[in-house]
Amino acid sequence: MVVTSWISSKASCSGVERITLSRTKVLYKQLLAWLLQGNLFDPYEEFFIVPAQPGRGHTTPGLHPPSMTQEDTSTFKSKAKRYRLKAEMVPGHISLKLAEKIFFIGESIQLFETDRKLEVQGSVLRERETEVYEKLAALRDLREFRVVEFERFVDSVRETASRHLHSLLLERADLKEELWIARNFFFLGRGELFHTFISSADGYLEQAPSATTQHDVRQTFSAACRSILQDDEKITKKIKVNVVIPNGDESKVKPIGWKCLTLQYSVPWPLHLILSEKSLEDYNRVFQFLITVKRTQLLLHKMWALQKWRKAESFSFVSQLRTHMMFVVDNLQQYFMADVLETQFSVLLKKLDQSTNFEELRQAHDIFLTAVSTQTFIDNNAVAQCLNELLSVCLQFCRAIESNSEQSFSSSKAVSSLALIFSRQSGLLFQLLTSLRNHHSGSHLTQLLLRIDFNRFFSTHGHEVASIV
Amino acid sequence: CLFGNTFPRIRERFNESQQSSGRERRARKSLCLNRNPKILNPIPIEPIVLTVLTVIMPCEMIMLQLGQCGNQIGFEFWKKLCAEHGISPEGILEEHATEGTDRKDVFFYQADDEHYIPRSVLLDLEPRVINNIMNSEYKKLYNPENVYLAKDGGGAGNNWASGYSQGQKLYEEVFDIIDREADGSDSLEGFVLTHSIAGGTGSGMGSYILERLADRYPKKLVQTYSVFPNQETSSDALSSVGVSDVVVQPYNSLLTLKRLTRSADCVVVLDNTALNRIATDRLHISNPTFSQINELVSTIMSVSTTTLRYPSYMNNDLIGLIAPLIPTPNLHFLMTGYTPLTTAADTQAAIRKTTVLDVHKSLQRIRERKLAGFIPWGPASIQVALSRKSPYVKTAHRVSGLMLANHTSISSLFQRALRDYDKLRKREAFIEQFRKEEMFADGLEEMDDSREVVQRLVDEYQAATKPDYLTWGMQQS
């Protein structure tokens, strides 16, 4: 029953009034069920919140993602049916934003009800239930629909729900601890663990993945966890390494095992509200990139040691090129791990401490992920491509050194061409980063640029690497 | 062995594991500590299935403490490390040490659940210092099989040649210990040698051991913490500690410097002159004792290994720390700086609370005002690494800083050594005691050769201050 508000005739006003009133009463009944219990009372399908059909996309980002299955978390025993907001059904006098707020409240209630241990939570809300009910009843009994007061009422209920959600996430579910774990693994916070892992797995992961690669990689990873971590069982249950061949055209060369690595991370309920599937995808993209930087760095360091073992000429072109490459990669690593990740993570933790409601939690985390993605250039195609080429040429160089004896290699065409590519890419990178720093809000780049060019060698002679011979 | 006589089948399976890890080999040994074969009430034991780990656990370090000075600073180092990791002087994990994420396995090996033993070999040719250690509260800390005192007990008489030849004679016994320790590690990254270069044992025997390490373990890193002698004479020294009363110190130093140049990968220079001056000028200790100086040294040593011993997102191994500091292999002598400089008693020194931004501003200032000169022939920079502190050690300061630098001015130490050597050598002063040893019986070529090596080192440091260093280097080879 849709009543449009542009009825002109004054004679029919009282009739319209009565229709409006009865319609409003129905709306309030639906709201009551939804706001207090998170249930739908909508036999005639008039409400703007409807059960979500499985497989249909959500119109609004709800609190219960469609992909949450029973296997994902052992504690998640949800009797919550999935709901969604049907924007077309929202009455004209209620803004979409308000409707979303209402939707949020009901979902939160469902969330609280789901947690069996949440007796405390539930009862606190139940205390307010009478209050809420009375307020809602008071609004319903008014002759006309007071939008402003209604909005205010919704806001206050929403704030309560949001605050309870906040303490549920932060205190009871220990969101911070979870974020530490995510950071230690996706962002290589436990450097020594990944140092071990990379050294052990490099042998087979630098080739294209075979049928046994995933099994091997999981073995290596859990062995590394066992030797480095204290509570490795908890971790190995939670985090699994996957070898996923990325989609691409069939004609391309199969990517090496390293490029196919992803982390499968199980998020305990209710922390999926913050560490959503979409955010885990972002985490994985950064992980992929950071692993590449770290293994490049480790390989370059290995080449430094190799030079000593082979008693190679200290001043050969190969040595100097290696020194340059190591310098760049070391500085990049320092930038990513310290300037970006360490800084952003402590900003996140501070924000979490200062937050008071759920929205602030979610926002802090979103900002964190966005900042990390931006500052690691995952989203910046030009820089990302430059970086990937740079790292790739360093890796090629290292593999070539490993397999060749130095004398013949030094004068080969191969090393000259690698040197050329390297100096071009590093010069380009320097330019890109400088312009980013100058034109956009690139203050985080200032430290990197300062260090990488500290003795001004880079800016004056960087392009001359290839001409050292 | 507990297993051996009563449960032969179990022992068989035990021995079958061909790829047993170092930890398992060591566990096997510790199970055999009970050598009494008579077991009256055998306890039924379930057969142990040994899992084969094919994981490289990087970064284990073995410390070799040589001579009087080497053992003193080694002793202080292990004291510090025990405190930081919550290990008692007997090597047992303290009850309060529950943090658990620190990496004790780099420097300690775990004999069983609570028992940690330093990966350290204590070597000396005379018993005084080692006896002091073995009579201290830390006597149970070390593995007694790793303590080697020459039976002769006469020391090396501050004579490099004597130390070196005794090193040759005792080679097998000493390397039995070193090999055993290396064999018991899963993945040894390298050796850390502590010694002084001016005496007899640390310098002479140390030189010999450095040469043999380079032969036997060519793929392992060798880092040294080398104490350079106090160059002041007793008349102009403000304190009496370490003032050279070793007249042949220039010979000893030069001969050792050759090995430090050729056979070590990284030398952390602990300059006794500077340490003394710090103690007297900065810390206002009128007569610093050895233990106060050693306290400073052990602080430097422990802080420089912090990123190896605590979970860190970078600098997880020794190579990662030193490779960026050593662009050409010969110039591998590092100097250190540390702040705040206090001793245990003094908590007055204040440093400003620093943030990342402060560090950045300081770096900018250094660059703009050219407060430090950097090489012109390659990229160079200052790297800042943040690391964790021990949760068990209260320090007066929240923040502390260690600097490791590869600075060409270190060559002034070597130039001084050359000058002092030349003074003595011209007159062949005190050379008789060297001629008594086999190495110099037929002539002093070894000394001449060492001088040449050190001179070339000084020249190379000089060349490194110029833009054409690389072409210079290529011409040399």
Side-chain angles (χ1 to χ4, degrees):
Chain A
M1 207 166 70
V2 174
V3 179
T4 53
S5 44
W6 33 268
I7 309 254
S8 47
S9 158
K10 216 175 178 190
S12 52
C13 249
S14 65
V16 169
E17 237 178 59
R18 254 182 293 143
I19 298 172
T20 319
L21 211 62
S22 58
R23 180 206 61 178
T24 317
K25 275 214 174 86
V26 173
L27 179 65
Y28 273 112
K29 233 189 233 164
Q30 293 162 342
L31 284 173
L32 201 71
W34 181 252
L35 290 177
L36 291 181
Q37 286 149 15
N39 280 330
L40 269 192
F41 177 69
D42 189 20
Y44 300 107
E45 289 185 4
E46 297 161 307
F47 199 31
F48 52 82
I49 294 174
V50 298
Q53 253 83 21
R56 286 246 210 110
H58 272 205
T59 49
T60 49
L63 296 180
H64 300 287
S67 59
M68 283 288 301
T69 58
Q70 298 290 1
E71 302 92 77
D72 281 351
T73 59
S74 47
T75 54
F76 184 41
K77 290 173 176 65
S78 164
K79 51 179 164 64
K81 306 185 196 99
R82 312 296 165 57
Y83 296 101
R84 65 182 181 95
L85 182 65
K86 205 169 176 188
E88 323 81 83
M89 294 286 285
V90 177
H93 52 274
I94 297 181
S95 67
L96 190 58
K97 198 155 155 240
L98 190 61
E100 282 173 4
K101 287 184 189 169
I102 296 172
F103 182 62
F104 171 80
I105 296 172
E107 284 219 307
S108 316
I109 309 268
Q110 289 169 16
L111 212 69
F112 299 142
E113 298 287 314
T114 325
D115 185 5
R116 300 270 190 78
K117 297 173 239 144
L118 215 44
E119 303 300 330
V120 179
Q121 287 276 6
S123 69
V124 171
L125 278 174
R126 254 171 248 132
E127 273 167 28
R128 288 210 65 198
E129 239 176 56
T130 356
E131 197 190 315
V132 169
Y133 177 78
E134 282 169 7
K135 269 217 190 111
L136 200 60
L139 283 174
R140 176 195 60 195
D141 293 337
L142 292 174
R143 289 206 54 187
E144 47 186 24
F145 187 79
R146 301 263 180 88
V147 178
V148 173
E149 288 181 28
F150 182 65
E151 270 196 33
R152 215 180 288 158
F153 161 74
V154 169
D155 271 334
S156 80
V157 179
R158 192 195 64 81
E159 218 187 285
T160 316
S162 180
R163 256 191 305 220
H164 284 300
L165 203 53
H166 174 268
S167 68
L168 168 66
L169 289 173
L170 211 55
E171 282 143 43
R172 289 205 23 130
D174 206 355
L175 174 67
K176 273 166 126 183
E177 174 69 25
E178 194 68 27
L179 288 173
W180 266 110
I181 298 178
R183 179 249 158 106
N184 279 342
F185 286 86
F186 284 103
F187 297 159
L188 311 194
R190 292 305 289 265
E192 66 280 7
L193 171 69
F194 286 97
H195 188 294
T196 308
F197 173 66
I198 291 175
S199 316
S200 317
D202 198 34
Y204 57 87
L205 278 180
E206 57 160 329
Q207 284 131 28
S210 70
T212 56
T213 310
Q214 174 151 306
H215 174 260
D216 291 339
V217 109
R218 283 192 179 180
Q219 288 277 73
T220 311
F221 186 70
S222 52
C225 286
R226 221 175 307 139
S227 55
I228 303 274
L229 304 176
Q230 297 298 104
D231 51 357
D232 60 289
E233 275 191 26
K234 178 173 138 208
I235 293 295
T236 41
K237 267 197 212 132
K238 191 185 182 55
I239 301 182
K240 293 199 184 0
V241 187
N242 282 341
V243 175
V244 176
I245 299 174
N247 292 330
D249 21 340
E250 309 300 325
S251 56
K252 271 212 193 127
V253 175
K254 240 182 163 191
I256 61 173
W258 280 117
K259 290 287 181 191
C260 304
L261 227 55
T262 56
L263 289 182
Q264 181 184 319
Y265 185 91
S266 53
V267 184
W269 181 95
L271 297 171
H272 63 281
L273 296 175
I274 304 288
L275 290 171
S276 63
E277 197 163 286
K278 168 72 175 44
S279 62
L280 288 182
E281 273 173 26
D282 289 335
Y283 273 100
N284 252 316
R285 285 163 69 207
V286 180
F287 168 74
Q288 240 307 319
F289 179 67
L290 291 177
I291 281 263
T292 310
V293 179
K294 194 167 183 86
R295 66 186 174 94
T296 312
Q297 187 190 35
L298 289 182
L299 211 56
L300 283 167
H301 287 169
K302 203 168 149 190
M303 294 305 109
W304 179 90
L306 198 69
Q307 169 195 289
K308 151 194 129 77
W309 306 337
R310 286 185 183 167
K311 302 208 188 305
E313 299 147 16
S314 356
F315 298 90
S316 67
F317 180 55
V318 166
S319 297
Q320 289 316 303
L321 183 57
R322 190 216 9 94
T323 307
H324 283 255
M325 287 181 169
M326 200 167 79
F327 178 79
V328 173
V329 175
D330 281 340
N331 272 289
L332 285 174
Q333 176 80 311
Q334 162 110 28
Y335 164 73
F336 290 128
M337 301 309 284
D339 296 346
V340 177
L341 290 170
E342 180 80 14
T343 313
Q344 290 304 320
F345 194 68
S346 33
V347 166
L348 170 66
L349 289 180
K350 216 183 277 177
K351 280 219 190 102
L352 292 183
D353 283 335
Q354 293 166 348
S355 64
T356 51
N357 64 44
F358 171 72
E359 270 77 27
E360 284 171 10
L361 282 184
R362 187 143 68 171
Q363 196 181 43
H365 183 254
D366 286 343
I367 291 180
F368 166 70
L369 262 187
T370 314
V372 166
S373 301
T374 314
Q375 293 178 13
T376 55
F377 314 115
I378 302 271
D379 296 325
N380 183 327
N381 274 329
V383 181
Q385 194 172 28
C386 179
L387 276 172
N388 280 320
E389 290 233 17
L390 192 85
L391 295 171
S392 157
V393 76
C394 293
L395 287 167
Q396 284 176 49
F397 175 71
C398 293
R399 306 276 183 220
I401 295 187
E402 265 184 319
S403 46
N404 286 308
S405 80
E406 180 123 343
Q407 268 76 15
S408 57
F409 186 50
S410 240
S411 47
S412 68
K413 282 209 182 112
V415 80
S416 316
S417 66
L418 286 176
L420 214 59
I421 300 176
F422 174 74
S423 55
R424 201 176 53 215
Q425 292 298 331
S426 53
L428 176 63
L429 181 68
F430 190 68
Q431 276 173 15
L432 286 171
L433 294 182
T434 313
S435 83
L436 265 181
R437 192 265 312 265
N438 292 337
H439 300 299
H440 306 269
S441 54
S443 57
H444 55 280
L445 287 167
T446 317
Q447 297 191 42
L448 171 63
L449 289 168
L450 175 69
R451 285 196 309 262
I452 220 169
D453 197 31
F454 203 83
N455 67 340
R456 304 212 194 269
F457 185 83
F458 220 91
S459 46
T460 42
H461 301 294
H463 59 284
E464 286 173 14
V465 166
S467 55
I468 281 179
V469 180
Chain B
C1 278
L2 185 64
F3 276 21
N5 295 318
T6 341
F7 300 99
R9 248 179 282 137
I10 297 166
R11 185 195 203 178
E12 229 180 310
R13 211 178 306 177
F14 214 125
N15 288 333
E16 253 167 31
S17 65
Q18 288 146 331
Q19 286 172 299
S20 60
S21 69
R23 193 171 282 186
E24 280 128 30
R25 290 197 287 278
R26 210 187 284 286
R28 207 186 304 155
K29 281 175 200 152
S30 69
L31 280 167
C32 292
L33 282 176
N34 172 16
R35 294 186 195 281
N36 183 354
K38 278 203 210 127
I39 297 174
L40 300 173
N41 291 309
I43 307 157
I45 297 173
E46 293 209 350
I48 300 171
V49 176
L50 296 174
T51 49
V52 175
L53 294 180
T54 51
V55 168
I56 307 165
M57 192 157 60
C59 200
E60 289 158 347
M61 306 292 302
I62 293 177
M63 176 167 278
L64 306 174
Q65 307 174 194
L66 273 160
Q68 173 181 318
C69 183
N71 274 294
Q72 268 167 343
I73 62 181
F75 177 61
E76 296 291 331
F77 173 73
W78 289 112
K79 254 170 56 178
K80 260 220 159 61
L81 248 59
C82 285
E84 286 195 24
H85 292 292
I87 296 171
S88 78
E90 283 100 39
I92 310 291
L93 199 61
E94 310 255 28
E95 268 169 26
H96 63 81
T98 50
E99 217 252 346
T101 57
D102 55 336
R103 297 203 54 206
K104 304 180 195 38
D105 54 358
V106 177
F107 285 95
F108 293 89
Y109 72 80
Q110 204 175 347
D112 56 50
D113 251 358
E114 305 286 296
H115 192 192
Y116 289 88
I117 301 179
R119 292 183 208 276
S120 183
V121 180
L122 291 75
L123 301 165
D124 208 345
L125 295 174
E126 49 119 32
R128 193 174 59 91
V129 176
I130 287 192
N131 279 345
N132 279 342
I133 296 175
M134 288 309 165
N135 287 326
S136 73
E137 57 172 338
Y138 288 87
K139 57 175 172 275
K140 292 216 192 108
L141 179 68
Y142 303 92
N143 179 353
E145 293 178 11
N146 284 6
V147 180
Y148 186 81
L149 267 176
K151 292 181 201 64
D152 187 305
N158 284 324
N159 181 335
W160 182 97
S162 165
Y164 191 89
S165 68
Q166 291 191 60
Q168 285 172 307
K169 284 191 210 98
L170 304 171
Y171 168 65
E172 271 189 42
E173 294 159 68
V174 168
F175 269 84
D176 267 348
I177 304 176
I178 296 180
D179 291 343
R180 179 180 31 82
E181 198 56 49
D183 191 48
S185 317
D186 280 318
S187 175
L188 181 64
E189 189 176 11
F191 298 92
V192 178
L193 197 88
T194 57
H195 67 150
S196 84
I197 71 168
T201 309
S203 70
M205 189 172 177
S207 297
Y208 183 70
I209 289 182
L210 279 173
E211 289 174 342
R212 298 287 73 74
L213 279 179
D215 286 339
R216 296 176 68 113
Y217 296 95
K219 296 200 174 176
K220 303 298 176 191
L221 281 189
V222 175
Q223 184 185 41
T224 75
Y225 286 90
S226 303
V227 177
F228 281 55
N230 194 334
Q231 308 271 19
E232 295 159 327
T233 61
S234 13
S235 48
D236 47 39
L238 293 166
S239 87
S240 56
V241 167
V243 167
S244 184
D245 50 1
V246 179
V247 284
V248 292
Q249 152 198 313
Y251 294 137
N252 295 338
S253 304
L254 204 82
L255 290 159
T256 316
L257 276 171
K258 170 182 163 182
R259 276 77 186 173
L260 289 179
T261 310
R262 291 265 195 85
S263 311
D265 298 306
C266 172
V267 176
V268 177
V269 176
L270 301 169
D271 177 10
N272 232 346
T273 321
L275 287 169
N276 258 288
R277 233 181 264 141
I278 289 167
T280 51
D281 296 354
R282 296 291 308 279
L283 304 177
H284 309 293
I285 303 170
S286 49
N287 263 313
T289 62
F290 269 118
S291 105
Q292 280 166 323
I293 301 286
N294 290 340
E295 165 82 16
L296 288 175
V297 170
S298 66
T299 303
I300 290 171
M301 285 174 69
S302 84
V303 175
S304 59
T305 57
T306 310
T307 54
L308 311 180
R309 297 183 286 110
Y310 292 95
S312 350
Y313 48 76
M314 33 192 291
N315 298 319
N316 304 115
D317 58 358
L318 189 64
I319 289 190
L321 275 177
I322 65 179
L325 286 170
I326 303 177
T328 56
N330 288 332
L331 306 183
H332 56 251
F333 293 82
L334 304 180
M335 56 166 71
T336 58
Y338 184 74
T339 183
L341 283 173
T342 65
T343 58
D346 174 12
T347 52
Q348 294 266 336
I351 55 174
R352 236 164 35 102
K353 182 170 167 207
T354 38
T355 65
V356 175
L357 211 55
D358 289 331
V359 173
H360 179 65
K361 284 205 198 115
S362 307
L363 291 184
Q364 270 181 321
R365 214 181 316 139
I366 293 173
R367 186 210 220 190
E368 277 150 31
R369 298 202 212 154
K370 301 209 166 71
L371 295 174
F374 281 81
I375 51 171
W377 41 267
S381 185
I382 299 183
Q383 268 211 28
V384 179
L386 303 169
S387 79
R388 293 208 204 161
K389 241 177 23 160
S390 167
Y392 314 124
V393 177
K394 277 206 191 68
T395 52
H397 317 279
R398 249 197 64 198
V399 178
S400 65
L402 172 83
M403 176 198 74
L404 281 173
N406 191 344
H407 201 291
T408 52
S409 67
I410 201 103
S411 64
S412 65
L413 278 181
F414 310 141
Q415 282 173 315
R416 178 111 192 219
L418 285 171
R419 272 201 311 271
D420 291 345
Y421 165 84
D422 286 340
K423 270 195 231 158
L424 285 187
R425 182 65 205 278
K426 240 182 356 196
R427 330 179 262 128
E428 294 213 339
F430 311 109
I431 262 236
E432 278 323 300
Q433 38 186 299
F434 284 80
R435 286 204 214 267
K436 282 195 195 128
E437 303 291 338
E438 191 187 323
M439 182 168 257
F440 299 98
D442 294 328
L444 303 172
E445 287 85 32
E446 179 55 47
M447 284 210 194
D448 298 328
D449 189 52
S450 301
R451 193 203 186 282
E452 207 183 300
V453 170
V454 177
Q455 182 64 55
R456 278 210 298 264
L457 180 69
V458 168
D459 295 339
E460 186 164 345
Y461 267 112
Q462 192 54 28
T465 60
K466 307 207 182 73
D468 64 349
Y469 169 59
L470 295 174
T471 35
W472 176 94
M474 289 214 263
Q475 284 164 0
Q476 300 292 309
S477 42

